Amino acid sequence: MGIPRLLSNAMARVSTVRYYQLVLVIAAALAVVAFYSFGSDRQNFSSTTKRIKETHASHNANMNDGDLSSDTNAEQRVSKGASVGEAGRTNTDSINAGTAEEQRPRYLHALMMFTKVDTSQALQQKFQVAMRSMLKHARFEDGEVLTLHFVSDEPSREIGEKILEDLLQGATFRCEVSFHNVKVLTEKLFPIVEAMQKHFSAGSGTYYSDAIFFLSVAMHRIMPAEIKRIVQLDLDLKYRTNIRELFEQFNQFPAGAIIGIAREMQPVYRHTFWAYRRENPDSKVGDPPPGGSPGFNSGVMLLDLEAMRRSEPYNQLLEPRSVGRLADKYRFQGHLGDQDFFTMIGMEHPSLFHVLDCAWNRQLCTWWKDHGYGDVFQLYYHCQGPVKIYHGNCNTPIPDD
C-alpha cells in the first residue's frame, strides 16, 4: 500500500506543476495577443505621434469608406479615397494585379505650413483657394496616395480639420492628411539651424520660434527614412494643372541635384548682395536670368530627402562654420529664412539644385518695382508660357480662372 500512495502523491505534484506551467503559458499567450491587438492599431510617423482611429461611413454611393482620425498629441490624419479603410492601411484589391511591389501603394508627400491660421481670415481664404484648385485639377493613378502634411498649432489644426473634411468629400483619388505639431518640430529643428538664423532672420537675434522657417533646410534629418521625397508648398498658391506633374519633376533632376526650386522673380537678391556686387562688379550674383544668378524663391520646392541625407557637400554646408564662411564671403544678411540659405549656397554650389521653370512658381508680387528697381524689374519678372501654379506672394491677388 505504501508504494501506490507514494506514486499517487508524486503524480499529484506533477499535475500541480503542469497546471501552473499551463497557466503561465496561457498568460504569456494572452499577453502576446493583447500586445498585437492593441499595438497594431498604432501607426508611427514619429515617436511623439498617437492616433485614435474613427471610421466614417461613405457619404454617397460613389465613394467607399473614408477615415477621419483624431489625435491626442502631435498629429491628426484624415483619409479619403476609394480604397481606404483606415489611415495608412491600404486595400490593394483596387490596385492592378501583379507582384507585391506593384501592389504596394505609392505615397506622394506634400507639406505646408499652417500656423496662426485661426486668427487670420485672409490665411483661411488662401488655404481654401489653394486646396480647391489643387483638388480640382488633381488626377492620380491607381495605387497612388497623395499625403498632405500640415505643420500646425492646435487652434489652426481645428480650423484645418473642418475645412478639409468638407473639401475632401469630393476627392476622386486617395488622399491622406496629417497634422504635425509645430512645437514638436521646432524642438527638433532648433539645434540644427540655430547658428544660421542670425544670417537669414529678421532682426538681430536668434529666435527660437523662427526655427520652423528653416524646416526645408533640415527636413531630411527629422523626417523618417521611409519618406524619401516631399514637396513643400506655400499656402498662397493657386493650381492650374495636375499636381502629380510637379512630382514628376523629381525625374528631371540632374546628377547631384537634391532640391528643385524656381528662381526669384524680383530683384530681391540684387539688393541683398549689394555689398558683394560692389566689391565684385563682374560677378553674376544677383543678376537676372538667363545669364545671371537671381536667387531662389521657396514658394514651391521639391526636396529629395534621400539624396539630401546622402549628400556630404550639402550636410557640410549646414555646419555653423560653413554657414558663417559663406555669409561673410557674400556679405549676406537676409530675412527670408530657408529661401536665403538656399540662395546663398546656390551661388557657391549650383549643382545641388534643379531649377524649376517659372511656370511652376509664377510669383505675382511687384513690390521691388516701386522701390528702386523699376528699370530692371521686367528682366526678373518675365515668365513665358502657360502658368501651372500661381504664387500670390506679398498678398498679391491671384487672377481668376
Side-chain angles (χ1 to χ4, degrees):
M1 295 295 290
I3 292 175
R5 183 175 298 172
L6 288 173
L7 289 173
S8 177
N9 291 337
M11 292 298 293
R13 291 191 185 97
V14 171
S15 298
T16 301
V17 171
R18 289 179 176 173
Y19 172 78
Y20 284 118
Q21 288 177 334
L22 181 61
V23 169
L24 290 174
V25 170
I26 293 173
L30 289 174
V32 172
V33 171
F35 175 83
Y36 284 104
S37 295
F38 292 101
S40 62
D41 278 343
R42 294 178 184 167
Q43 301 178 42
N44 293 320
F45 183 81
S46 69
S47 60
T48 60
T49 301
K50 294 180 181 177
R51 302 187 185 119
I52 301 174
K53 299 189 183 74
E54 298 176 358
T55 302
H56 291 253
S58 173
H59 70 285
N60 59 42
N62 294 324
M63 294 185 67
N64 294 335
D65 290 343
D67 178 87
L68 178 63
S69 306
S70 61
D71 168 37
T72 58
N73 191 359
E75 183 174 352
Q76 195 256 0
R77 175 169 290 217
V78 182
S79 297
K80 293 291 178 186
S83 61
V84 179
E86 296 177 351
R89 175 181 290 178
T90 307
N91 179 356
T92 58
D93 291 343
S94 65
I95 304 175
N96 293 334
T99 66
E101 183 67 27
E102 290 172 341
Q103 293 181 351
R104 186 177 302 149
R106 180 186 176 216
Y107 292 92
L108 306 176
H109 297 274
L111 180 143
M112 303 177 210
M113 297 299 301
F114 198 73
T115 57
K116 301 180 181 178
V117 177
D118 61 308
T119 60
S120 173
Q121 285 292 328
L123 283 178
Q124 293 178 35
Q125 292 172 1
K126 290 176 182 179
F127 176 59
Q128 294 205 42
V129 168
M131 292 308 304
R132 288 186 189 279
S133 60
M134 178 190 291
L135 295 171
K136 174 182 177 181
H137 296 285
R139 300 291 184 273
F140 292 90
E141 296 181 358
D142 289 343
E144 293 180 333
V145 183
L146 176 63
T147 304
L148 299 173
H149 302 267
F150 295 95
V151 178
S152 178
D153 50 72
E154 185 65 26
S156 297
R157 187 183 80 168
E158 295 176 0
I159 297 292
E161 291 171 4
K162 295 176 182 177
I163 295 175
L164 288 167
E165 186 174 8
D166 176 58
L167 291 178
L168 291 176
Q169 293 297 321
T172 58
F173 53 89
R174 282 196 59 193
C175 181
E176 296 181 357
V177 178
S178 296
F179 285 86
H180 307 284
N181 191 303
V182 64
K183 292 181 179 179
V184 173
L185 292 184
T186 300
E187 289 174 0
K188 295 179 180 181
L189 277 172
F190 187 67
I192 305 173
V193 304
E194 178 182 6
M196 69 176 64
Q197 287 183 239
K198 64 181 179 181
H199 301 293
F200 314 119
S201 298
S204 58
T206 297
Y207 301 99
Y208 178 79
S209 60
D210 290 341
I212 200 63
F213 297 110
F214 295 84
L215 175 60
S216 61
V217 170
M219 198 183 301
H220 63 297
R221 294 190 178 180
I222 66 173
M223 287 293 182
E226 56 265 27
I227 298 184
K228 302 181 185 303
R229 292 174 170 179
I230 196 166
V231 171
Q232 183 166 329
L233 305 161
D234 278 1
L235 278 189
D236 54 349
L237 303 178
K238 186 174 183 179
Y239 302 84
R240 300 191 68 192
T241 193
N242 186 356
I243 192 174
R244 187 180 184 277
E245 297 176 14
L246 179 61
F247 285 96
E248 291 175 350
Q249 284 290 311
F250 278 114
N251 299 327
Q252 305 301 317
F253 278 28
I258 62 175
I259 296 167
I261 190 169
R263 294 186 177 98
E264 171 60 46
M265 295 180 64
Q266 292 193 92
V268 175
Y269 294 107
R270 188 185 188 96
H271 181 82
T272 305
F273 284 107
W274 71 270
Y276 179 82
R277 288 170 55 84
R278 182 183 62 187
E279 297 170 1
N280 301 271
D282 295 329
S283 172
K284 297 298 183 181
V285 169
D287 277 358
S293 301
F296 296 125
N297 182 280
S298 60
V300 176
M301 291 186 291
L302 286 75
L303 306 175
D304 189 334
L305 301 182
E306 188 172 36
M308 292 170 74
R309 294 174 184 124
R310 293 195 310 259
S311 175
E312 184 176 347
Y314 180 75
N315 285 287
Q316 288 178 346
L317 289 169
L318 296 180
E319 297 298 325
R321 182 177 298 180
S322 298
V323 175
R325 178 182 62 82
L326 288 179
D328 290 342
K329 174 181 177 178
Y330 288 104
R331 306 290 190 267
F332 195 95
Q333 182 59 57
H335 64 282
L336 298 174
D338 57 354
Q339 175 173 314
D340 287 336
F341 175 74
F342 291 141
T343 290
M344 188 183 74
I345 68 171
M347 300 300 173
E348 196 88 351
H349 302 276
S351 62
L352 292 174
F353 299 91
H354 166 63
V355 178
L356 296 175
D357 188 270
C358 60
W360 284 111
N361 181 4
R362 204 321 173 196
Q363 303 141 53
L364 297 173
C365 182
T366 59
W367 191 88
W368 288 94
K369 181 179 180 180
D370 301 319
H371 292 81
Y373 293 94
D375 56 333
V376 297
F377 185 82
Q378 286 299 328
L379 297 176
Y380 295 84
Y381 196 70
H382 176 73
C383 181
Q384 190 172 1
V387 174
K388 299 179 184 295
I389 299 177
Y390 275 120
H391 184 185
N393 49 337
C394 69
N395 295 314
T396 307
I398 298 176
D400 294 330
D401 291 335

